[in-house]
Amino acid sequence: PLLPLGGAAAMALAGGSGGRPVPRAELQLVRLLSRCEALAADRRGAGEWRLEKYVAALEEMLLELKKHASKPAPEVLNEYSRKVDFLKGLLEAEKLSSSSEKALANQFLAPGRTPTTTKERIPATQTVHLQTKARYTGEMRSELLGTVCLPVIPPPIPFKSPWPK
């Protein structure tokens, strides 16, 4: 079923909708994509499983949307793919062991070029990209400074005079 794009539920689709009716599958993809970007922006704990599951669902939804009869323009699909790939890469980078590997992997991630929702001034994936870059840089700094061996000065030994008082 097709839904007209309008009202509070309107999503700013990459390249604009041009007034075309938006398939429900596309709206659902955009809503989940926006939710994933928000989850990725929050610093998640080790026990956070939702983002990984949501990104897997995004991949499936994107494949279905590409097969849809009234699919969006190719540049819109490319932007969705770019954002989903960015989120996948972000999850893979988090699984790496050292912060230097994470920082390097983060450099190769390509965030989206356009905002996902009308509320965003800059794309959320760009914000997430900058946040993770800063976090990994901070982790590297902590690792480096934590392993620096500073000379340990022993406490002074109290002096006892050999002469009685």
Side-chain angles (χ1 to χ4, degrees):
L2 301 178
L3 300 174
L5 186 64
M11 299 293 163
L13 304 174
S17 66
R20 70 173 173 84
V22 179
R24 182 179 302 269
E26 185 175 0
L27 281 178
Q28 290 172 343
L29 177 108
V30 171
R31 287 182 183 133
L32 184 58
L33 181 59
S34 179
R35 179 71 180 130
C36 287
E37 290 170 345
L39 278 174
D42 294 339
R43 187 160 182 198
R44 300 180 337 274
E48 179 60 60
W49 54 268
R50 289 180 297 173
L51 184 59
E52 202 162 331
K53 298 291 183 188
Y54 289 176
V55 171
L58 271 176
E59 286 184 278
E60 292 175 18
M61 292 169 81
L62 187 58
L63 288 173
E64 288 300 315
L65 187 60
K66 287 178 180 179
K67 297 175 190 173
H68 202 276
S70 60
K71 62 185 175 188
E75 58 272 3
V76 175
L77 284 173
N78 287 340
E79 183 65 14
Y80 292 154
S81 295
R82 183 181 180 100
K83 290 180 180 187
V84 171
D85 289 343
F86 171 79
L87 291 168
K88 280 180 8 187
L90 196 66
L91 289 170
E92 291 302 316
E94 285 180 359
K95 293 176 184 175
L96 297 172
S97 57
S98 75
S99 56
S100 57
E101 289 175 332
K102 291 176 184 181
L104 183 62
N106 189 53
Q107 286 180 355
F108 292 108
L109 296 177
R113 296 180 184 145
T114 59
T116 304
T117 66
T118 54
K119 295 176 184 174
E120 298 172 359
R121 287 194 341 216
I122 61 169
T125 50
Q126 285 184 357
T127 304
V128 170
H129 192 245
L130 291 173
Q131 286 174 338
T132 54
K133 179 181 178 182
R135 186 170 75 232
Y136 295 148
T137 302
E139 286 177 13
M140 281 193 317
R141 186 177 298 120
S142 295
E143 282 179 15
L144 290 172
L145 295 177
T147 57
V148 172
C149 296
L150 298 174
V152 177
I153 301 170
I157 301 172
F159 177 73
K160 286 194 172 183
S161 173
W163 297 280
K165 289 187 184 180

